[in-house]
Amino acid sequence: MSRPLPKSLNVNPFLDSWLRFDCAKRRVHLFSGKVEIGQGAMTAIAQIAAHELALSMRELDIVSGCTERAPNEGLTSGSYSVEVGGTSMRMACAQARTLLIAAASRQLATAPEHITVADGMFLVRAKPSNLSYWDVAGEVDFHQPVTGEAPFRAINADGLIGKPVPRLDLPAKLAGSGFIHDLALKDMVHARVIRPCSPKARILSVNDVAARARPGVIAVIRAGSFLAVVAKTEEGALSAAKELSVLTVWKENARLPGGSPVTEWLPALPTQDEIFEIRGADLPPVTGGRKFSATFSRPVLAHASIGPSCGLALLENGGLTVWTHSQGVYSLRDQIARVLGMSQAAVTVHHMQGAGCYGHNGADDAAFDAAFLAHALPGRPIRVQWSREDELSASPFGSAMVIKTSATLDRAGKIAEWEQEVWSGAHSQRPGSAGQPNLLATTEFEPPWPMSEPADPPFETGGGGLRNAISLYDIPRYRLKHHFVKDMPVRVSALRSLGAFANVFATESFIDELAEAAGVDPVAFRLDNLSDPRARAVVGAVADMAGWRYRDEAVGEGRARGIGFARYKGRAAYGAVIAEVVMEEGISVSKIWCAVDSGLVINSDGLTNQVEGGIIQSLSWTLKEGVRFDGARILSTNWEEYPILGFAEIPDIEVRLMNNPDEPPLGSGELAAGPTAAAVGNAVARALGVRVRDLPITRDRVMNAASL
């Protein structure tokens, strides 16, 4: 049976791009263009390969994110690692097994259909032979296209798929060597880049005499408004950078929104507008219905990675090697080569894990900082470590968003019309997008490289600002308007879930408002307006998990539960969340229930961990996070000014995986963000009897809403 090939196989069609048999060592080397960023992807992909090859995972080695060896699978983003990368690996391994069985059939003089494999050994009519993969792999030509025709092994063949296999990346992390920050190369030197907290600022003057004279300082390098110090030790680089920072005068060019509400400053910016008539444009207007409207917002968000960005680079013998926690090593390689005037073949980029990466944070910028300095100082590895202030002010941000919704309930209390307007900046300006490097240092050079003209990912492929702006509810008339803000006051790009977090928060909060207006239990209201059986199943499952008793909860008593639901991107995993909140001195979330349908589950622990992580990050966005500005500077440059959820604030979380082994695996890493925010918002509204529509939902905003 021929299956449609995932994008990764269309781009990298040859089987030997994905695996290689080392017969002498009796090992299989796997190659993945997706990378490990804490989501457990490499464990899941190795699990898939072991299952399809009928081997133990102990016999597999996996290489990922290396431009010399791994296939170019583009970005590790969009919850595609298992859905696309894992499916590609499964097809490749299934074909490899089929080819090896064909080779064994010739030696055993037995028809292929009578041969199976267990632990790499061939069985004939279920009886062991003396032949293994390692005896026949040398006869097989693996340089052939993957066709998608090879049969998959049955999921229950060995019980490996769906099991909580231990994570491959944890031993190194627990031993203190798992992150790029831990990498120590021979003769390595250290660099710090001096940057202001005002975007687009330019250097007017700098006095670097004292910094150059410091013991251990190797060089002070300036290129336009890019300024860095290189020293023998990290401490030497840090102290020299602090001195340089004091002696550098900047011209601040930014025009930031200050303390104005997002709902005021964002819609006031120039927009590029587009209307999508999703369905029902030819239907007559609803008569006799009730119309409702509301406006929701989220602020500019920082990635706030726990480990500030880090990059290492070495120029030696005409070749540049870069180590980075970038999610797109190939596009980064291409732009490094382009800016430094090198051939792509002369630049090798290796992925290493970073301590916090979920979107376009400072990883690419730190890697280019290191590459540029290594190009200027060949022969020694250069390590660039960003500071906390750098990470919170110089990394790309997640765009602020404003969502206006309106809907009409018909006489039966069902949703008849829905209109949504979304104001948002770009959600992807990664290196190479729209033909420009999009690397911070290149914009600081003189003359600067231009940033790409902002553009959003196409709506048809999931969108950016419009991601999840269309819900799964059965609404006859649906109209969507996108107000794309091209000229944002700060650099914005991809942050986990892109626009889905805000859009689902708005949609699911408004669904609760409509349910209240209709006098219907919010769970029942959702089920009344949903026909998708998998959607209905997760909503029903989470209500069952939480023991949902909506009518038993009094409004305004300070404790309540709320629900949120979405299918990520409208075509990935389904998720429904119920949150229980308690209002005392502040807002605390005491319990979260989450039901997930992501099709075939590969690693149950890995998937649960991903969902839990998404819930926790969403709680932090929902209750605490938001970048603050004055007219020229970013003010939230430390944990005091940009607080995130603490360990003591994490609620009890219960996740139920609704395994559907007959369905393909679906992207799940970002599914929980929006439903969690909506569930908390809806619970707060019921607990207090007032609704907060602007994120984050803080004590002050609750008090303001209660006073209106």
Side-chain angles (χ1 to χ4, degrees), residues 487-625:
D487 189 15
M488 289 289 288
V490 292
R491 183 170 63 134
V492 293
S493 190
L495 174 62
R496 191 178 196 174
S497 82
L498 307 190
F501 170 68
N503 282 316
V504 174
F505 169 69
T507 296
E508 287 294 293
S509 297
F510 198 50
I511 286 288
D512 254 45
E513 296 190 44
L514 295 176
E516 183 179 357
V520 179
D521 178 313
V523 168
F525 187 78
R526 284 168 171 80
L527 295 174
D528 286 346
N529 288 276
L530 275 173
S531 59
D532 184 317
R534 295 173 75 177
R536 292 174 58 84
V538 295
V539 170
V542 80
D544 177 67
M545 291 168 66
W548 181 263
R549 296 289 186 272
Y550 180 74
R551 297 299 181 193
D552 295 341
E553 288 184 351
V555 177
E557 293 298 316
R559 177 187 290 268
R561 296 176 179 185
I563 185 170
F565 156 78
R567 184 181 188 187
Y568 184 55
K569 293 190 289 190
R571 60 172 179 268
Y574 298 77
V577 172
I578 288 177
E580 181 177 70
V581 302
V582 180
M583 311 297 298
E584 293 173 340
E585 290 300 314
I587 305 167
S588 65
V589 180
S590 57
K591 175 84 178 189
I592 292 279
W593 297 265
C594 181
V596 176
D597 176 358
S598 60
L600 171 64
V601 174
I602 305 300
N603 186 315
S604 55
D605 271 5
L607 177 55
T608 300
N609 292 342
Q610 271 291 86
V611 173
E612 289 174 345
I615 288 169
I616 292 167
Q617 186 168 35
S618 180
L619 288 174
S620 189
W621 290 340
T622 303
L623 298 174
K624 290 180 176 287
E625 296 186 38

Side-chain angles (χ1 to χ4, degrees), residues 233-272:
T233 66
E234 175 70 7
E235 294 78 9
L238 180 58
S239 60
K242 287 181 178 178
E243 184 170 40
L244 270 174
S245 180
V246 172
L247 298 175
T248 302
V249 179
W250 299 88
K251 180 182 179 182
E252 296 180 350
N253 299 306
R255 296 292 181 267
L256 302 180
S260 302
V262 173
T263 49
E264 291 181 8
W265 67 259
L266 185 61
L269 295 174
T271 60
Q272 178 179 299

Side-chain angles (χ1 to χ4, degrees), residues 361-602:
N361 65 356
D364 299 279
D365 295 320
F368 182 79
D369 290 346
F372 178 73
L373 295 172
H375 195 259
L377 298 170
R380 298 185 72 175
I382 294 182
R383 179 183 186 271
V384 171
Q385 173 67 64
W386 278 22
S387 67
R388 173 66 52 212
E389 291 75 14
D390 293 334
E391 193 66 40
L392 287 171
S393 63
S395 284
F397 296 102
S399 177
M401 293 180 65
V402 172
I403 301 104
K404 289 187 177 181
T405 56
S406 62
T408 301
L409 292 180
D410 64 18
R411 288 174 176 155
K414 295 191 71 173
I415 308 170
E417 299 177 315
W418 188 287
E419 184 167 345
Q420 191 142 314
E421 294 187 67
V422 178
W423 282 261
S424 177
H427 286 265
S428 184
Q429 286 188 288
R430 293 181 185 265
S433 176
Q436 295 299 339
N438 293 339
L439 294 160
L440 181 58
T442 67
T443 69
E444 297 166 335
F445 293 164
E446 195 60 52
W449 288 74
M451 290 289 287
S452 64
E453 183 173 345
D456 234 13
F459 181 54
E460 298 74 19
T461 60
L466 296 183
R467 183 161 294 183
N468 276 97
I470 304 297
S471 69
L472 290 191
Y473 294 105
D474 305 325
I475 303 171
R477 299 183 60 161
Y478 214 120
R479 191 169 186 261
L480 175 64
K481 189 171 185 179
H482 188 199
H483 303 277
F484 180 56
V485 182
K486 296 180 73 172
D487 189 15
M488 289 289 288
V490 292
R491 183 170 63 134
V492 293
S493 190
L495 174 62
R496 191 178 196 174
S497 82
L498 307 190
F501 170 68
N503 282 316
V504 174
F505 169 69
T507 296
E508 287 294 293
S509 297
F510 198 50
I511 286 288
D512 254 45
E513 296 190 44
L514 295 176
E516 183 179 357
V520 179
D521 178 313
V523 168
F525 187 78
R526 284 168 171 80
L527 295 174
D528 286 346
N529 288 276
L530 275 173
S531 59
D532 184 317
R534 295 173 75 177
R536 292 174 58 84
V538 295
V539 170
V542 80
D544 177 67
M545 291 168 66
W548 181 263
R549 296 289 186 272
Y550 180 74
R551 297 299 181 193
D552 295 341
E553 288 184 351
V555 177
E557 293 298 316
R559 177 187 290 268
R561 296 176 179 185
I563 185 170
F565 156 78
R567 184 181 188 187
Y568 184 55
K569 293 190 289 190
R571 60 172 179 268
Y574 298 77
V577 172
I578 288 177
E580 181 177 70
V581 302
V582 180
M583 311 297 298
E584 293 173 340
E585 290 300 314
I587 305 167
S588 65
V589 180
S590 57
K591 175 84 178 189
I592 292 279
W593 297 265
C594 181
V596 176
D597 176 358
S598 60
L600 171 64
V601 174
I602 305 300

Side-chain angles (χ1 to χ4, degrees), residues 662-673:
D662 295 330
E663 298 287 345
L666 297 173
S668 308
E670 299 162 288
L671 72 88

Side-chain angles (χ1 to χ4, degrees), residues 147-169:
T147 64
E149 296 176 358
F152 290 156
R153 292 184 76 213
I155 292 301
N156 61 359
D158 51 20
L160 185 60
I161 298 299
K163 284 180 61 177
V165 172
R167 289 271 292 268
L168 300 179
D169 54 314

